[in-house]
Every structure is written in C-alpha cells, then in structure tokens.
Amino acid sequence: MDREHCRPIEILLVEDNPGDVRLTQEALREGKVRNHLHVAADGVEAMAFLRREGQHAQAPQPDLILLDLNLPKKGGREVLAEIKEDPDLRRIPVVILTVSKAEEDVLKSYNLHANCYITKPVNLDQFLEVVKSIEDFWLTVVLLPPR
Amino acid sequence: VELILIIGISLLLQFAAAFFAFRLIRVTGFQIAWVLISSAFCVMAIRRVIVLAQLLAGEVPHSRELATELVGLVISILMLAGVLFIGPLFRTIKAAEAALRQSRDELEGLVAARTEELQDTNARLSVELDERRKAEHLMAQYAGDLARSNAELEQFAYVASHDLQEPLRMVASFTQLLGKRYRDKLDADADEFIGFAVDGSTRMQRLLNDLLAYSRVGTRSKPFAAVECASVLSDALANLKPAIEESGARVTHEPLPIVRGDEVQLIQLFQNLLGNAAKFRGHEPLQVHISAELQDGDWVFAVRDNGIGIAPEQQERIFLIFQRLHHRSEYPGTGIGLALCKRIVERHGGRIWVESEVGKGTTFYFTIKGGENAPNGPRALSAN
C-alpha cells in the first residue's frame, strides 16, 4: 500500500469565497483519497497556518496547497512568493486555482514557481471534474516529497 | 599787332573759361574748386589785360614774345574746351545718377509694397494658423474624451462581465448541485423550478461570456501584423470542424490576400460567419464560398452561402448585440456573433454588411484595409 493511503492527505485550500470552499469540499468528498481539507480565507491566514503561528500552532504541514489569486489582506501572488522563498515550505506543490484566464496572471504565477495553474471552470460538472483531476494527479499519480 | 590779337583772344578765352568754370558750380557741386579755378582764369585774364594795356600804350615788355603768347593762346583754347567739355560730361553723369536714383526709388517702392502685401498675407496666415491650431486642439481634446469614454465603457463592460461571473458561478453551481443531488427527491414542481434556475443561470453565463468576448475586442487586442487570410480561414474551419462536418458543408475559396490585422480576431470573424452559415443552413447541402477583391485600395471579402437567408427588414438588426431573429428552441445562441463580427471589422477600419434573399442564401461582405496584396493560389477546401 502507498504511504498516502495510510494517513489522510493534508490539503490547504486558500480561498475567500465560501461557495468555492464548499464546492471544493463536495468534490473532494466524492474523491477516492482520504484527505483533510484545511481552509484559509485570506493570504495572512494562509501564511499563519503554514508557519504554525498563533491559533495554527498545531497545524500539520500540508501535502498540497490550492491557492486562489484574488484574496483579501494578502494576495495569492504574495503568498506564492513567500512559500517559494521559504526553504521549509517551497517543496509543497502549489496549485493555482483561480477564475483569471489572463495570460499575465498565468505567466507571473509560473515565474513565481507555481507548480500548476488551473482556471476554475464555470460549469459545476467541469469544476467537480477539475478538482477530481487535481486529486488524481497530485495525490495518486505524483510522488510527493517525504515528510 | 599779332601779339595784341593773340593776347586779346587768349584773354577773351580765359574770361570765357572762367565764366563757364563758374557755371559748372551749378552742375557739379565742388563749389570751392570751381571758384578757385574760375578765379585763376580771371587772374590770368587780368594779367593779359595789363599786358595788352602796356602794348597799346606802346611799351613792349621784353619778356613777351610771340611764341610764348601763342602757347598761352593754345592753353587758353584747351582750358575753355576742357571747361566746356566737363559741363556736359557732368550733366550726363548727373542724369545717369538721377535715373539710377529714380529706378532705385521705384524699386524700393515696389519692394515696400510687396513687403506690405507679404506682411498682410503673413498676418492672415497666422490668424488662420491660430484658428486651425485651436480647432486641432479642440479636435484632439474631443478625440481624447471619446477615446477615454470608450475605454471607460470597455473597461466597464469588461469589469461588469468579469466580476458578475463570480457570483453567477455560485448561483449556477449550487442550483446545479441542487438539481444533481435532489432530483426526484422533492416533488415535480421542485424539479421544474430547479430546471428553470439552472437554465437561466447557464444562459446568463453564456451572455456574460459573450459580453466579455465583445468587450475584449477593444481591451484585449493585439497590435496589427501581416496576416495571411488563407491560414486564418483554415484555422477557423479547424475550430468549427464538428459543426462543419455535421452540416456536410462544402467550403471553397478564391485566392485570399495578406492583410494587416489581429490574427486571433480575424479567425474569430471568419469562424462566426462560417458558423452562422452552418447554423442557418437550408434544406440543400450547404455550400459556402469565400472571395476577396481589391476595390479602391480596400479588400472586400464576401462569404456567400445557400442557407435560409435573412428578410430585408431584419438585415439591420442582425449586427446589434444580443439581437436574435429566431426562438432559442429553433436556433440556439445569444445573438452576439454578428455584433462581434461588426466590432472586429470596425476595429480593422472596415465595414460589414449583408445581402440576402429569404430561401436563397446570404452573402456577408466586409472590408479590410488593403496594402499588402499577395493572394494565394486558388484552392478548394472541403470539410469532408
């Protein structure tokens, strides 16, 4: 059995829209992989979670980060830059999950070492499909760095 | 006696010379010089008067000899001749000078007149220039205002459609989720209501997407480059492959030029026109023919089909955004396609119009600025 199947996968979703959070939860619930979804509603909270600051002192280090670009307080791009500059965090794969299709956003994200860039499909079925394929690829196909 | 005669003549000559020399003052100026010369002549003449008086008195001065007096006579003649000659010479010079002065004055007058004319013209021109500058300034201002308001409108449309997507996605997603999870679990009414909600929200999404595409023609456009229309056409056909295949259409084209434009937008233009042809086809197998012709420096493209046609009273409306001629159940779509075509063509400095007969077919014409004309060889493209 794979290591991933022995313990639940920790996923950090950085998303300010509760609707999207719920949809992601729904999609992941239907998935095959056992997972814990943690949610940070803005960039500041996301960094606090990753650095185990304040109320997040007990937070586990996530195996995968799903990051929206448009966030209050601290934007997704800044969060991405901080993660990729931090020697303890930069190995965590970051999936940009956003509505923006702007070439500029795509390019900037990859330049900041995003691991992949996905636009949120407008259609529900497609959205569920995308979340599932993220799960399939990053949690079963890909071999993640050891803890 | 000869001596007396000679002296007398010289004396007369010297007086005459003195007189004429004096008169020269009037002609030449040089007052002092002529007075001196004249007085010298007078002195010489007076001396001769004295000698003559002595001769007449019978005294013969030993110094006076005939030869000397002859020389004196000749000199006197020469002096008189000289004085007489100088007069006309000076007069001529004076006349020439006067003529010169007069013509110079005339010339100066002319120059002054011309200068005045030029100054007048200059003044008029500068007034005109001022006016023109003012007009240009105003025009630039209006153009700036217009561009700004256009940009704002485009920005508005873009932001509106972009930002409206987000909440709409929520409505659409959750009504869809509701439909998915609770179909047949509530009652028939609930299923119907959910169906309407899902239908409405998905349609709204399509409208917003189209509005976004429409506003993007202005905001997200690339600078113009040389574009090969033949490759644009084949790209458009490739994008439309399913629809074209389904309609069994035969698409042919004449040599197409290279134009300056935005390739992505031109592909979209051809795609919308061809897609329309496929959508509104008649009972006959669909035939679409594309041609381009250079007219007054502009390329006039024609996309001709043998579809259902458009009634004359509808031919204006079809280019307006979200105007539809058919019920959604007959022909789906938001009614953006031709409005988008119009916007793309207009952005390329051209215009678009339609000629059509109900039941016979439709030809869409649009113009694109010419310049580079290198038509490709004739080629028939078939979808099958």
Side-chain angles (χ1 to χ4, degrees), chain A residues 3-56:
Chain A
R3 197 162 38 86
E4 280 82 357
H5 290 182
C6 305
R7 63 161 180 86
I9 290 288
E10 308 291 339
I11 300 173
L12 174 63
L13 173 64
V14 190
E15 170 67 68
D16 64 318
N17 182 352
D20 272 320
V21 172
R22 187 61 206 270
L23 284 178
T24 311
Q25 279 170 343
E26 293 295 330
L28 288 173
R29 188 186 292 166
E30 292 175 19
K32 312 182 267 279
V33 180
R34 217 151 56 86
N35 59 69
H36 284 160
L37 186 68
H38 308 272
V39 179
D42 59 64
V44 173
E45 200 192 335
M47 288 320 296
F49 182 93
L50 289 167
R51 293 189 170 136
R52 299 191 176 108
E53 290 163 357
Q55 54 163 340
H56 299 290

Side-chain angles (χ1 to χ4, degrees), chain B residues 283-312:
Chain B
H283 297 297
E284 304 276 310
L286 177 63
Q287 285 192 10
V288 186
H289 185 73
I290 297 123
S291 60
E293 200 180 308
L294 201 54
Q295 270 178 25
D296 302 327
D298 288 344
W299 285 103
V300 181
F301 287 81
V303 180
R304 194 180 70 226
D305 68 41
N306 59 346
I308 59 172
I310 303 160

